[in-house]
Each structure stands twice: as structure tokens, then as C-alpha cells.
Amino acid sequence: MKFCPECGAKVEGMKFCPECGNKLDAGQPTVTAQENTPVTEETEKTILEFSTFMFGLEDKKKSIGGNIDLSLPQYNYTLTSERLFIVKKGYVAAKKDEIELYKIKDVAVKQGLKDKLIGIGNIEIHSVDESTPLLLLKQIKNPEEIKEAIRLAVKNAKQKMNMRYEQNI
């Protein structure tokens, strides 16, 4: 099984990555998974994958003039044991970003009444990193569950690095 060197998506027999759009040419190295590789403590594991909730419009395309397909911009998130990956799929390209879990200092959910009724909300991630002090994950389905998964992953990452985990009250 081959994986994209940029985002880690499965790319067996493809010319372009279906997740990030990275061109995969024959000369470019791809990451190959070993079937019987033992999992160690140092291996980064995927905990959760989620994306922006778009009321059923995810992956829908609108044709303009019959030749140009435009997709709605969508954010896809992957929470691993070490990082939170953010991939924005836009009209033309994808933007990738990530934050190390040990840099997260607080996670909060913001919901209005309408959002609570339909089960979506925004998740605010406060970081100790001065370049990105606040990340906002917009329109997330079941935001309380996602927040708790992120909080637990942060706690485990900090404990693994022998850092103290504190919840500011």
C-alpha cells in the first residue's frame, strides 16, 4: 500500500492525491506501509477524523458553463496521538496546516441556540504558540464529543512528554 508523502492518504495507482491534490510522479518517493510492522510507543496513531458539517452539501459540485466544476470549500481534520492536521479543500488547491498537541493549552466549544438544536458548533483551540494563538474549527458536528477527544489526546501527549496537564478553571 502506498501513501502520499504530503498528507499520508492512500494513493495506490494514482497520479494525484485524492485528499490534498499533490502530484505523484514516478520519481517522487511515496511512503510504503509495512504490513507486519510492530507498533511501538513512538508510532503516531490516528485517533479521529472529522470535517466541517455542510448540511448535506459535502462533496457536491456545481457546474458553471459545463466546463468548470467548483466545490464548496471544506475543512478536513485528522487528530493523531501527536498532532491535529487541518486540510482546507478549496476551489482550486488545498491548504494544509497542523498543530502539535503539546502546544494546545485550552479547548472550548461555542454554540448558539440554533447550533445546539441542529447539533453543530465551533471549537476554539487556544495555543501557547504565538504564531497561532487561536484556531477556530467551524461548523463541527457533535462538537462536545470532538472537544473531549482533543482534550484527552492533549492530556496523553503531554503526559508522554512528561509535561503537566492543567485545566484552567
Side-chain angles (χ1 to χ4, degrees):
M1 182 67 58
K2 292 188 179 187
F3 296 90
C4 174
E6 289 293 316
C7 70
K10 293 179 186 176
V11 292
E12 191 70 39
M14 297 181 188
K15 293 183 181 181
F16 292 92
C17 176
E19 292 297 319
C20 68
N22 184 40
K23 184 176 180 182
L24 306 168
D25 46 3
Q28 182 181 12
T30 54
V31 181
T32 306
Q34 301 292 329
E35 294 297 327
N36 297 320
T37 303
V39 177
T40 64
E41 280 186 60
E42 307 302 318
T43 305
E44 186 172 8
K45 298 174 193 145
T46 299
I47 298 170
L48 182 65
E49 292 180 341
F50 56 101
S51 63
T52 304
F53 181 68
M54 301 175 75
F55 307 101
L57 298 175
E58 297 86 357
D59 299 323
K60 300 284 187 217
K61 294 184 178 182
K62 184 176 181 182
S63 179
I64 296 178
N67 296 330
I68 302 171
D69 284 334
L70 296 177
S71 299
L72 294 171
Q74 181 180 6
Y75 287 87
N76 294 315
Y77 306 99
T78 303
L79 177 64
T80 70
S81 56
E82 296 177 12
R83 295 175 275 198
L84 175 64
F85 291 98
I86 304 163
V87 177
K88 178 186 178 191
K89 291 181 179 179
Y91 295 114
V92 178
K95 178 185 172 196
K96 295 169 270 199
D97 201 4
E98 67 183 60
I99 183 170
E100 297 285 337
L101 292 181
Y102 74 89
K103 292 183 178 181
I104 295 174
K105 101 178 142 174
D106 191 27
V107 183
V109 172
K110 300 289 183 183
Q111 285 180 298
L113 181 60
K114 181 180 83 174
D115 293 339
K116 285 183 182 182
L117 290 174
I118 58 177
I120 65 168
N122 296 337
I123 300 175
E124 290 182 350
I125 297 178
H126 299 270
S127 170
V128 296
D129 189 359
E130 292 177 9
S131 64
T132 54
L134 175 68
L135 285 172
L136 185 61
L137 314 183
K138 293 182 179 182
Q139 290 185 300
I140 304 298
K141 190 148 181 96
N142 303 319
E144 287 293 336
E145 293 175 17
I146 303 291
K147 179 197 93 155
E148 284 304 312
I150 294 171
R151 190 192 67 77
L152 183 61
V154 168
K155 180 179 177 183
N156 291 337
K158 287 184 176 187
Q159 285 176 347
K160 186 177 174 181
M161 297 178 74
N162 294 323
M163 296 173 71
R164 273 188 7 190
Y165 175 81
E166 290 183 2
Q167 182 78 20
N168 294 336
I169 299 177

